[in-house]
Amino acid sequence: MRGGGFWQLGQSITRRLAQSDKKVTNPFRYYATESSQLKRTALYDFHVTHGAKMVPFAGWSMPIQYKDSIMDSTLNCRQNGSLFDVSHMCGLSLKGKDCIPFLEKLVIADVAGLAPGTGTLTVFTNEKGGAIDDSVITKVNDNHIYLVVNAGCRDKDLAHIEEHMKVFNKNGGDVSWHIHDERSLLALQGPLAGPVLQKLTKEDLSKFYFGEFKMLDINGVHCFLTRTGYTGEDGFEISIPYESTLDLAKAILEKSEGKVRLTGLGARDSLRLEAGLCLYGNDMEQHITPVEAGLTWAIGKRRKAEGGFLGAEVILKQIKEGPAIRRAGFISSGPPARSHSEIQDENGNNIGEVTSGGFSPCLKKNIAMGYVKTGYQKIGTKVKILVRGKPNDGEVTKMPFVPTKYYKPT
């Protein structure tokens, strides 16, 4: 879809335009505008040359779509592949003999229980059990954790980590950090991701599975590679030195023979929604706990028994007694539901609110996720979803809406 349809489908991204950072860490990533200062990724000119529509997002100038429609981009990712520039996200490393016990004070994951070279989705929590941010963390080894946090949460996440790190080290702990502003981050997603990337590395990717991490040479450059993504498809996130980003992007597109396309944040949003994945700021907030968000599985068994992370008392109580609200998926008739659309029961009583919604390019139907009072999250429950004040028939359905295709051992 183009024009108005694009803005409707991508509204969960474009409605939240964060203020740019005032502190310049890499002068080559910034350009001035009349009203603000936006950061540029290493691929900014490459995006523009390829017809990208650039918009402000979390202080960056980012491609929201290219010459093809959001619909076509979404379908091509599922059928062939997509290359996303996600260099606006913040990668960082925690190092030191106490980096694991330090991180476990801030997140819900069993970091110590991860095998070296593996990772997991986790949540940074506050004292009330709410989500400060979600993050993919990787245990490189016992003395090195690599993680990526959301662009819009960068400032508060780094301040939160730094504040607790100072106290931890003052009390005798050994942990330091490095923020990888010298690196870019590319996401290669879709069924051709593996075959295409294999052409650019000597490492055997057939034994490299979902959630795993390694350092290796890609296109002749030392990279951090994680088999993960935000689309529900097989794929990789590639952390690469800033100056080598353009060459790698060109090589990926060339090796795919035109089947892998540059893809913007608009299609990335529809892909993650089809995969039932949360967007922080929409589906997760500081007042939403991991249990309410349906992420209890991300709380390690040992962490459930021992606690020891911020907000543990609230979260463990919710696990035992059940939360008052729960995240659920919906299909609906009429216009697509949008963030903040009211959800009612069949008698017109308010039972919750949509947090993300749109038209699914793959399913050709309206999909949404949101929070409802406990008891209404059961699959098959009939609801009404208000769009512009008019109720439309809806039904609770399972997520992901589109089956995931993560590359796992058979």
Side-chain angles (χ1 to χ4, degrees):
M1 295 188 294
R2 294 186 184 273
F6 150 71
W7 285 110
Q8 289 175 354
L9 187 59
Q11 80 162 16
S12 61
I13 292 177
T14 57
R15 73 179 179 82
R16 298 179 300 111
L17 305 181
Q19 296 297 317
S20 61
D21 286 345
K22 300 300 182 183
K23 183 178 179 181
V24 177
T25 55
N26 185 339
F28 297 101
R29 289 186 169 200
Y30 290 74
Y31 72 101
T33 66
E34 290 183 2
S35 59
S36 64
Q37 193 179 56
L38 295 177
K39 289 169 276 190
R40 288 180 173 180
T41 75
L43 297 183
Y44 175 85
D45 291 337
F46 192 59
H47 295 314
V48 173
T49 299
H50 283 77
K53 181 181 181 67
M54 307 299 289
V55 299
F57 179 68
W60 294 79
S61 181
M62 298 298 296
I64 198 80
Q65 79 177 116
Y66 294 82
K67 294 177 181 178
D68 50 354
S69 66
I70 299 289
M71 177 86 73
D72 289 342
S73 291
T74 302
L75 294 174
N76 187 69
C77 182
R78 301 237 184 265
Q79 295 165 1
N80 295 300
S82 289
L83 180 64
F84 301 90
D85 182 1
V86 290
S87 302
H88 60 311
M89 299 183 72
C90 178
L92 63 142
S93 289
L94 297 175
K95 293 187 176 183
K97 67 180 180 64
D98 297 322
C99 65
I100 292 175
F102 166 70
L103 185 58
E104 285 196 343
K105 291 180 176 293
L106 306 182
V107 302
I108 60 177
D110 181 1
V111 186
L114 292 172
T118 66
T120 185
L121 176 71
T122 194
V123 178
F124 283 86
T125 50
N126 57 34
E127 289 81 358
K128 296 182 179 180
I132 294 174
D133 196 7
D134 57 339
S135 173
V136 174
I137 62 170
T138 298
K139 180 180 177 181
V140 182
N141 54 52
D142 288 339
N143 299 307
H144 183 188
I145 300 295
Y146 172 71
L147 61 150
V148 178
V149 300
N150 287 305
C153 298
R154 173 185 169 124
D155 288 350
K156 71 170 181 177
D157 286 357
L158 296 185
H160 177 71
I161 294 170
E162 185 175 34
E163 176 187 357
H164 285 272
M165 185 164 54
K166 286 179 178 177
V167 174
F168 185 83
N169 284 335
K170 187 177 181 179
N171 291 330
D174 174 27
V175 60
S176 61
W177 67 350
H178 175 75
I179 301 166
H180 292 291
D181 283 339
E182 78 287 357
R183 307 184 74 86
S184 297
L185 190 64
L186 302 180
L188 176 59
Q189 301 283 293
L192 294 182
V196 168
L197 195 63
Q198 186 63 79
K199 296 177 182 179
L200 297 172
T201 182
K202 295 179 181 179
E203 296 278 345
D204 182 6
L205 299 180
S206 68
K207 300 292 194 298
F208 183 58
Y209 299 111
F210 177 72
E212 294 185 345
F213 170 95
K214 64 172 57 180
M215 297 181 181
L216 74 172
D217 285 350
I218 300 175
N219 202 39
V221 178
H222 187 64
C223 297
F224 305 163
L225 184 67
T226 310
R227 197 149 199 167
T228 187
Y230 195 46
T231 64
E233 297 293 319
D234 179 28
F236 307 88
E237 290 188 355
I238 309 164
S239 174
I240 183 168
Y242 182 88
E243 63 275 8
S244 301
T245 311
L246 180 58
D247 287 343
L248 178 58
K250 288 180 176 179
I252 288 172
L253 297 178
E254 178 185 341
K255 294 297 183 182
S256 78
E257 299 178 343
K259 292 182 179 179
V260 171
R261 299 180 195 165
L262 288 170
T263 308
L265 297 182
R268 193 166 184 255
D269 194 44
S270 62
L271 287 158
R272 71 90 193 167
L273 179 56
E274 289 182 337
L277 301 174
C278 291
L279 173 65
Y280 191 88
N282 278 45
D283 314 300
M284 295 185 71
E285 296 269 13
Q286 301 225 37
H287 62 278
I288 297 293
T289 72
V291 180
E292 294 165 343
L295 298 177
T296 304
W297 62 267
I299 307 172
K301 183 178 180 181
R302 177 176 61 84
R303 310 309 307 278
K304 291 176 184 176
E306 299 176 2
F309 51 88
L310 293 174
E313 183 177 346
V314 174
I315 290 171
L316 298 184
K317 182 179 180 181
Q318 285 187 343
I319 292 175
K320 182 179 180 180
E321 301 178 1
I325 59 173
R326 295 179 185 268
R327 183 168 64 97
F330 305 90
I331 54 174
S332 64
S333 62
R338 303 299 175 194
S339 179
H340 302 302
S341 293
E342 182 181 343
I343 305 171
Q344 299 178 344
D345 65 15
E346 291 188 285
N347 296 320
N349 300 306
N350 180 295
I351 58 170
E353 182 178 274
V354 169
T355 52
S356 287
F359 181 78
S360 165
C362 294
L363 301 178
K364 304 296 188 291
K365 64 176 69 172
N366 299 332
I367 60 174
M369 68 173 75
Y371 288 84
V372 292
K373 296 177 181 178
T374 294
Y376 290 95
Q377 82 281 4
K378 297 177 182 177
I379 294 173
T381 300
K382 304 294 183 182
V383 298
K384 299 288 185 181
I385 299 180
L386 270 62
V387 180
R388 294 188 289 274
K390 181 180 178 180
N392 298 277
D393 291 335
E395 182 178 322
V396 177
T397 189
K398 68 176 182 178
M399 293 188 290
F401 301 98
V402 174
T404 57
K405 299 174 185 175
Y406 302 130
Y407 185 73
K408 298 181 178 182
T410 55

